Amino acid sequence: MWVFLNGNILREEEARISPLDRGFTFGDGVYEVIPSYNNKPFLFDEHLERLKDSLNKLFIPLPGVLDELDTILYELHKKNKHKNQSFYIQITRGTQDIRSHDAEKDIVPTIFITSQSLQINPYRNSPGRIGLRVRLEEDIRWARCDIKTTGLTGNILSAHDPSKKSCDEIIFYKDGIINEGSKSNVFILLDQKILTPSLDQKILPGVTRRFIIESLRDTDLEVKEVPISLDMFHRSEEIWLTSSTKELQPVHFVDNIELPKKRSQNYIWPKILNYFDY
Ligand code: PDD
């Protein structure tokens, strides 16, 4: 795999980052995941905007190389050859001489990018396939999940608990209100209304979430951003998960309970998938 590290495109095995990089010692960095189809990044500007926003919120200066990000992704896509790819971009506060909570004054951010093959959303070609299996869990993460930090212990912890059965996604709730998935945003269809949790809940402002909301604005499928209680979630007619690599995928099992309208001809979610045009 070809990667980008601090100004150079090089082979993954040649890429070297110091163990004193604050990304390693403190998880002090941010990231983005950008899908790219036929070497055309999807919603590039929106991802770049969120990346800058995450950096600003962590007081990490914006690296100048971000001005050339589109060219770098284009080159990486060509070198890594897969038809469709997902780019992983990680920027940390940088490397320092000794481990210290306080960053050195002249510290320079580290920027690292990989790309890997991206599987097309399987629900595009076979909408009749069984939906995802999720489980609900109390949200134990920090209060600033609006920042896309690389510190994801709270997101991945439960998936590694050997006492728990594996599932496709874990949906976090706090005080009885749904927040988001461990790696996706959540939409439900209830009483024929499309609902999604509000950004006021300090969830990740998903680029896919925003794309869906904006695509449906002023249509009869308009999305409402409201608190979703566990009771509403359980009564949903449909549940969808969205992310840059998943696009939109339906859920069929919540904690082993099957959703009422399985494999219905009247599902709304396939209509929403048609908006993903790249
Ligand atoms: N995850 N919420 C969380 C906690 C996420 O990690 C993600 C994405 C989303 C969806 O955001 P977007 O539509 O911008 O991809 C919501 C990425 C894909 C990941 O960590 O790999």
Side-chain angles (χ1 to χ4, degrees):
M1 181 178 33
W2 292 89
V3 302
F4 175 92
L5 178 63
N6 296 332
N8 301 302
I9 289 184
L10 64 175
R11 289 228 170 251
E12 178 200 349
E13 52 279 14
E14 287 162 7
R16 296 276 177 275
I17 299 173
S18 164
L20 283 170
D21 190 283
R22 293 179 64 92
F24 187 66
T25 50
F26 291 99
D28 188 9
V30 303
Y31 76 104
E32 270 303 316
V33 175
I34 309 182
S36 178
Y37 304 94
N38 293 316
N39 207 350
K40 200 167 161 285
F42 184 56
L43 302 174
F44 175 81
D45 291 343
E46 290 80 351
H47 280 284
L48 182 59
E49 183 191 322
R50 184 176 61 187
L51 180 58
K52 289 180 176 173
D53 193 48
S54 295
L55 289 164
N56 284 332
K57 284 172 172 170
L58 291 193
F59 314 107
I60 295 177
L62 302 187
V65 76
L66 287 183
D67 295 340
E68 299 149 39
L69 188 61
D70 49 351
T71 315
I72 296 165
L73 299 191
Y74 182 79
E75 288 303 320
L76 262 190
H77 198 127
K78 268 202 324 204
K79 277 185 130 20
N80 281 324
K81 295 199 168 77
H82 310 288
K83 185 170 186 288
N84 302 315
Q85 302 183 16
S86 72
F87 294 107
Y88 174 78
I89 304 163
Q90 174 168 344
I91 302 178
T92 73
R93 198 177 303 274
T95 298
Q96 51 196 85
D97 293 339
I98 50 157
R99 178 190 176 273
S100 160
H101 284 66
D102 301 323
E104 282 158 14
K105 260 210 170 68
D106 49 359
I107 193 162
V108 178
T110 301
I111 170 158
F112 176 59
I113 308 176
T114 65
S115 81
Q116 63 192 58
S117 175
L118 174 65
Q119 197 207 2
I120 290 288
N121 180 359
Y123 292 93
R124 266 181 179 272
N125 295 331
S126 19
R129 67 188 274 145
I130 197 82
L132 304 176
R133 192 176 280 277
V134 304
R135 70 164 179 262
L136 286 160
E137 288 206 1
E138 184 77 34
D139 199 344
I140 56 156
R141 301 172 305 159
W142 74 323
R144 293 303 307 276
C145 293
D146 56 310
I147 312 173
K148 202 162 170 63
T149 69
T150 52
L152 291 173
T153 313
N155 297 54
I156 62 163
L157 183 63
S158 163
H160 292 89
D161 183 339
S163 70
K164 293 184 174 155
K165 250 176 84 183
S166 77
C167 61
D168 297 305
E169 178 61 308
I170 298 163
I171 309 292
F172 295 129
Y173 62 88
K174 188 131 201 141
D175 302 326
I177 301 294
I178 299 288
N179 276 338
E180 63 184 325
S182 73
K183 48 185 184 279
S184 59
N185 288 114
V186 176
F187 289 73
I188 67 166
L189 181 76
L190 180 62
D191 301 329
Q192 288 303 301
K193 289 191 182 70
I194 303 173
L195 311 177
T196 196
S198 154
L199 296 184
D200 295 343
Q201 293 174 216
K202 295 283 182 229
I203 56 173
L204 188 81
V207 168
T208 322
R209 173 190 179 281
R210 173 169 151 191
F211 172 74
I212 292 173
I213 293 174
E214 285 175 2
S215 301
L216 299 181
R217 189 158 287 146
D218 300 328
T219 73
D220 53 359
L221 295 174
E222 186 151 324
V223 180
K224 301 213 168 352
E225 298 173 71
V226 292
I228 298 174
S229 66
L230 285 174
D231 173 61
M232 289 160 76
F233 192 74
H234 283 120
R235 288 191 293 112
S236 302
E237 288 134 28
E238 294 179 30
I239 299 174
W240 321 326
L241 301 184
T242 66
S243 81
S244 297
T245 48
K246 284 196 178 63
E247 299 182 324
L248 177 151
Q249 298 187 1
V251 171
H252 275 158
F253 293 93
V254 178
D255 292 329
N256 286 332
I257 299 165
E258 198 166 343
L259 280 184
K261 284 206 306 165
K262 204 184 90 178
R263 298 190 202 202
S264 155
Q265 301 306 310
N266 302 322
Y267 275 147
I268 285 187
W269 65 262
K271 289 190 195 133
I272 316 292
L273 256 190
N274 286 335
Y275 284 88
F276 287 79
D277 190 19
Y278 39 74

